[in-house]
Amino acid sequence: MMTCDDVRMSLGAYVLGALEPEECVLVEAHLAECEGCRAEFEELTGVAAFLGKVSQEDVAQAVSPPHAVLDRLLSARARRRRTSRVLLSLAASVLVVGL
């Protein structure tokens, strides 16, 4: 017999059809009796349907975004660092003048 924790650990693989037949039987038996795990299973079935719509190109783009996106992110980070340095220098100057 599987516990709720055991089933929750296996639900993703179950939804994707990646469990061994013996474990599928155990998960199904638990789902027949446990409303909480059954609700979680129903949520995951929607995710599995969505994953079926994801293409190889989508995965490749998520793993390696276009250079324009990376450049924009790096530029924004560099601007934030410059702003932080300027503010820190300004705060240090005010402190020195105040002393």
Side-chain angles (χ1 to χ4, degrees):
M1 181 102 188
M2 295 183 93
T3 66
C4 289
D5 287 338
D6 295 335
V7 170
R8 287 185 179 122
M9 292 292 292
S10 300
L11 275 180
Y14 177 76
V15 167
L16 295 174
L19 289 183
E20 295 295 323
E22 301 82 26
E23 194 171 359
C24 283
V25 170
L26 294 172
V27 169
E28 289 166 356
H30 183 87
L31 291 175
E33 297 177 5
C34 180
E35 187 176 328
C37 289
R38 199 168 40 251
E40 190 167 333
F41 163 72
E42 289 171 5
E43 288 179 19
L44 287 176
T45 56
V47 172
F50 173 75
L51 288 176
K53 297 177 182 178
V54 176
S55 70
Q56 288 287 357
E57 289 177 19
D58 295 332
V59 173
Q61 187 171 7
V63 171
S64 179
H67 289 292
V69 172
L70 291 174
D71 291 343
R72 191 172 66 239
L73 292 172
L74 291 172
S75 294
R77 182 174 183 209
R79 279 192 306 274
R80 282 193 306 272
R81 279 189 163 175
R82 279 192 299 273
T83 301
S84 294
R85 286 185 192 140
V86 168
L87 290 176
L88 184 58
S89 297
L90 181 60
S93 299
V94 168
L95 182 63
V96 168
V97 169
L99 293 175

